[in-house]
Amino acid sequence: QNIEITRQKEELAKLSIVAEKTDSGVMIADKDGVVEWINTGFVRLTGYNFEEFREKFGKTLVEVSSHTGMDQILKFVLRKKRSFSYDSSHIKKDGEERWTSATITPVFTEEGALSKIVTVYSDITAVKQAEAALEEKNEDITDSIRYAERIQAAIMPKDEEFNRLLPDAFILFKPKDIVSGDFYWMVEKEDRVLFCTADCTGHGVPGAFMSMINSSLLNEVVNENGITQPNEVFYEVRKGLVKAMKQKGELGEQKDGMDASLCALFRNGKGKQWTQLECAVANNPVLIIRKSKEPVVDNGTVLEPILEMNSLYMYEIKADRQPVGYKTEEMTPYTHHSVNLLKEDLIYTFSDGYQDQFGGPKGKKFMIKRQKELLMDLYDKPMSEQRAILDKTLEEWMAHPDQPDGYSEQIDDILLIAVKV
């Protein structure tokens, strides 16, 4: 018995050292929540001794706590019979604000009766101050990016202009971040309307810088130099981009550029119907869906349909396997495509963001095959409804309940433009 008593005294002495010398504050309350004891660490955290603290704030845990939900926390820990942690702020005796992380623990006897309620407080003021400073910096950065978003939006066609030049059409534009590496561009030049669907290197801020450079080069080549044939436009934009980025093909050099399709639509005289499509395609193809069995003829070459569904035929104007930008191999001219159009033809141009998005029951990519089949299914629907369904389908794909992670974040900028003849 003497040995056991000695051991217990030694244990209590150690616990006393921990309780009194630790920087953490400790508060012990009885089974009714009445505060019985605080350690010196708690006094250092608050500036109040035990008598001052009880006189100023009260006697129970609910009264002395600066957390507004303390009564609910107590009910929770007693019902669940386990600890609970929370953060709260308080004002020290000298007026200084301090933040603490508290863990409240119910203590039960061997018979299961509530005996004590122990709360341990750790000073996290420095962490909270760092978080506040970081949040302020993030707000400043976000404000700057929001301003950049307005600048980027200003260089892209306004909805009114797009609807005027392409009245039976739609744009599905979903940037991954606030600003985007995908962009669209259009202009009316005499007998034609040109529009470009572009996916620049990167996304977010770096991609947005590239989009503004490429949009500026398109304006320069078409509006200032008067070049309107799409393949020649791409050739001149590439020259300007290589010059602007000082690209020489050296080892380790950044290969900035864009995958893009540039289309020029022509009308027959003063008619309203588009009768001819000229285009240049760099890495991203152009799709045409036709209701008639009359084949699509590209510069005298009869194209074979790549997909047939419900008496509809999909044709693909295959892309040149080179970007608009520096290419390590020989930079060859872009192919000139010229296609006669029929009434009710549907033209689709897009970046790779839609088809590459992860989701579905297995968390896999949407894939271009599924995207093409979806476009065929949508053919007979109004353009506004097509856009809404494409958007909803993608959201449901990303949020599919059976996929491993429950929800897939958007991984890239998404851009799709559709025009009906």
Side-chain angles (χ1 to χ4, degrees):
Q1 288 179 348
N2 287 338
I3 293 172
E4 179 61 22
I5 292 171
T6 301
R7 189 192 67 78
Q8 290 180 1
K9 287 182 178 180
E10 291 175 352
E11 191 72 20
L12 287 172
K14 293 174 183 177
L15 291 174
S16 177
I17 293 172
V18 172
E20 290 302 313
K21 302 301 181 183
T22 181
D23 287 335
S24 298
V26 180
M27 176 188 289
I28 299 177
D30 65 15
K31 62 183 180 63
D32 296 318
V34 177
V35 178
E36 295 181 325
W37 179 83
I38 59 174
N39 72 339
T40 54
F42 189 91
V43 175
R44 287 193 293 270
L45 280 176
T46 63
Y48 296 98
N49 61 34
F50 184 66
E51 290 75 18
E52 291 173 333
F53 189 78
R54 284 175 53 123
E55 182 179 346
K56 183 171 180 61
F57 298 104
K59 297 180 179 181
T60 68
L61 288 173
V62 174
E63 291 174 335
V64 303
S65 177
S66 59
H67 195 289
T68 55
M70 177 51 64
D71 55 340
Q72 296 301 318
I73 292 174
L74 277 173
K75 290 177 182 178
F76 174 83
V77 298
L78 296 180
R79 184 176 70 254
K80 296 292 185 178
K81 295 185 177 182
R82 64 180 178 86
S83 301
F84 182 84
S85 297
Y86 61 92
D87 295 347
S88 62
S89 66
H90 67 271
I91 305 299
K92 287 183 66 176
K93 186 177 179 179
D94 60 7
E96 180 185 9
E97 183 183 25
R98 307 298 291 180
W99 276 89
T100 56
S101 176
T103 300
I104 184 168
T105 304
V107 180
F108 297 90
T109 65
E110 293 182 358
E111 291 75 23
L114 179 64
S115 173
K116 303 289 182 183
I117 303 173
V118 179
T119 309
V120 179
Y121 300 86
S122 298
D123 191 338
I124 58 169
T125 304
V127 174
K128 289 292 184 179
Q129 289 173 343
E131 288 177 353
L134 183 60
E135 184 177 350
E136 184 177 353
K137 289 182 182 295
N138 285 339
E139 287 178 358
D140 291 341
I141 294 170
T142 301
D143 288 344
S144 296
I145 297 175
R146 289 289 181 195
Y147 189 76
E149 179 187 27
R150 293 197 292 271
I151 296 173
Q152 187 179 36
I155 70 170
M156 288 194 275
K158 299 291 186 292
D159 290 344
E160 298 79 13
E161 181 184 11
F162 180 85
N163 294 331
R164 179 180 68 83
L165 297 179
L166 300 174
D168 203 5
F170 73 82
I171 299 173
L172 178 64
F173 182 45
K174 297 172 71 70
K176 176 186 181 296
D177 303 305
I178 298 172
V179 290
S180 170
D182 285 11
F183 76 96
Y184 52 96
W185 172 93
M186 68 188 311
V187 68
E188 184 177 26
K189 299 295 287 186
E190 300 174 352
D191 60 344
R192 72 200 70 188
V193 169
L194 291 92
F195 67 94
C196 182
T197 305
D199 178 3
C200 297
T201 308
H203 47 74
V205 173
F209 272 114
M210 290 302 303
S211 75
M212 296 182 73
I213 293 172
N214 285 310
S215 178
S216 177
L217 287 169
L218 284 167
N219 284 322
E220 180 182 332
V221 171
V222 176
N223 295 325
E224 296 180 21
N225 300 344
I227 299 172
T228 56
Q229 186 165 300
N231 66 318
E232 294 179 358
V233 172
F234 271 179
Y235 188 81
E236 293 300 318
V237 168
R238 178 172 65 187
K239 283 168 55 179
L241 185 60
V242 169
K243 181 180 179 181
M245 303 301 294
K246 299 180 175 61
Q247 296 173 336
K248 299 178 181 178
E250 297 174 352
L251 186 65
E253 183 180 73
Q254 186 74 21
K255 302 298 186 292
D256 293 310
M258 63 176 176
D259 297 335
S261 55
L262 177 61
C263 297
L265 289 169
F266 297 79
R267 287 192 176 94
N268 184 8
K270 294 184 179 180
K272 293 184 178 181
Q273 181 182 321
W274 304 112
T275 57
Q276 185 180 1
L277 167 69
E278 290 184 354
C279 62
V281 281
N283 282 334
N284 288 339
V286 171
L287 300 179
I288 298 174
I289 299 179
R290 178 164 289 183
K291 204 168 188 177
S292 167
K293 288 186 177 180
E294 184 175 335
V296 172
V297 181
D298 181 7
N299 274 337
T301 301
V302 177
L303 302 182
E304 293 293 328
I306 62 169
L307 192 60
E308 181 179 348
M309 290 174 58
N310 304 322
S311 300
L312 296 173
Y313 304 88
M314 176 180 283
Y315 298 86
E316 180 176 338
I317 300 177
K318 293 189 179 299
D320 294 328
R321 304 319 299 170
Q322 58 177 341
V324 182
Y326 195 88
K327 184 171 177 280
T328 306
E329 300 81 11
E330 181 184 359
M331 292 190 290
T332 57
Y334 297 93
T335 305
H336 173 62
H337 298 276
S338 181
V339 175
N340 290 330
L341 297 172
L342 299 180
K343 185 174 176 58
E344 296 189 329
D345 279 355
L346 257 176
I347 303 164
Y348 290 98
T349 66
F350 45 87
S351 67
D352 60 1
Y354 199 104
Q355 67 203 44
D356 286 346
Q357 179 57 50
F358 288 95
K362 297 182 180 180
K364 302 293 186 181
K365 288 184 178 181
F366 194 84
M367 302 300 290
I368 186 64
K369 181 177 183 294
R370 185 181 283 107
Q371 181 177 332
K372 290 175 179 177
E373 291 172 350
L374 175 59
L375 295 178
M376 292 284 272
D377 287 336
L378 297 177
Y379 175 84
D380 288 322
K381 299 187 182 300
M383 300 303 273
S384 60
E385 189 175 346
Q386 285 195 35
R387 185 193 180 283
I389 293 174
L390 282 163
D391 194 11
K392 182 181 179 182
T393 300
L394 189 69
E395 290 296 326
E396 290 176 348
W397 178 259
M398 294 164 63
H400 197 288
D402 295 332
Q403 65 176 306
D405 297 328
Y407 183 83
S408 293
E409 297 291 337
Q410 185 173 332
I411 64 167
D412 198 2
D413 301 316
I414 293 169
L415 174 61
L416 186 149
I417 296 179
V419 180
K420 192 167 189 178
V421 176

